[in-house]
Amino acid sequence: MEATTNVHVESARIQKQIEDHLGLEGSQLLFDFRPMEDRMRLDLITVNPRHHQSFLFHTVTGYDRVDALRKMLDYVRQSRDQQSSFTIQWVARGERELNTSYFRATNMYDALDKLYYGRDINTITVFSVVLNPVS
């Protein structure tokens, strides 16, 4: 029982570190774990409180939940240095308001994949994708 408790405590501790590093509240992050053959996949999903849409932040795989969380924490700490920043302007189907979202990605297609994660491609109309200058 002690080992199980420690795994849950360690998972909660790492999740809190990820939230703190990103400056987001727990309600704005979803940790979606999916078992794969001999690995654990973790999709970190952000939820925007203004327009109530969710987007993929990043995906990692690990040997178990804690390993996947540690890899995600490493990514969160290093993503600014490893990936480019993109701005995407879009409108949700049935809405009129133009929304602006920001993504860290290796390229424009990766940024669009994060935008469309978990949804039908026809539910969002993209108006622009811009690679932001390095600051």
Side-chain angles (χ1 to χ4, degrees):
M1 189 67 147
E2 182 70 24
T4 303
T5 302
N6 287 339
V7 168
H8 294 299
V9 169
E10 180 68 3
S11 294
R13 185 185 68 77
I14 297 169
Q15 286 181 11
K16 179 68 172 133
Q17 285 181 310
I18 291 169
E19 291 169 13
D20 290 347
H21 192 81
L22 293 174
L24 298 174
E25 297 177 17
S27 63
Q28 295 172 297
L29 287 176
L30 300 172
F31 294 85
D32 186 16
F33 293 94
R34 294 185 202 169
M36 302 169 50
E37 294 183 20
D38 62 341
R39 300 263 186 181
M40 181 65 68
R41 173 182 166 151
L42 168 58
D43 292 339
L44 182 58
I45 301 163
T46 59
V47 178
N48 185 296
R50 190 175 65 75
H51 53 62
H52 307 290
Q53 295 289 327
S54 64
F55 304 110
L56 178 65
F57 184 80
H58 188 65
T59 298
V60 296
T61 56
Y63 295 108
D64 57 20
R65 292 172 73 100
V66 172
D67 184 49
L69 281 166
R70 286 182 182 137
K71 288 179 178 180
M72 187 63 74
L73 179 59
D74 288 343
Y75 170 81
V76 165
R77 289 177 172 161
Q78 299 172 6
S79 65
R80 288 202 185 279
D81 299 330
Q82 296 176 347
Q83 295 192 320
S84 299
S85 172
F86 291 87
T87 300
I88 300 178
Q89 292 191 309
W90 57 274
V91 172
R93 181 174 55 202
E95 301 288 324
R96 291 178 162 250
E97 183 179 354
L98 182 67
N99 295 290
T100 302
S101 296
Y102 304 93
F103 296 89
R104 287 269 171 200
T106 53
N107 58 51
M108 175 184 69
Y109 299 108
D110 186 29
L112 287 168
D113 284 345
K114 290 180 176 189
L115 175 81
Y116 284 116
Y117 174 83
R119 65 175 46 91
D120 181 333
I121 197 166
N122 297 311
T123 60
I124 289 180
T125 300
V126 171
F127 287 94
S128 71
V129 180
V130 176
L131 173 61
N132 299 321
V134 177
S135 57

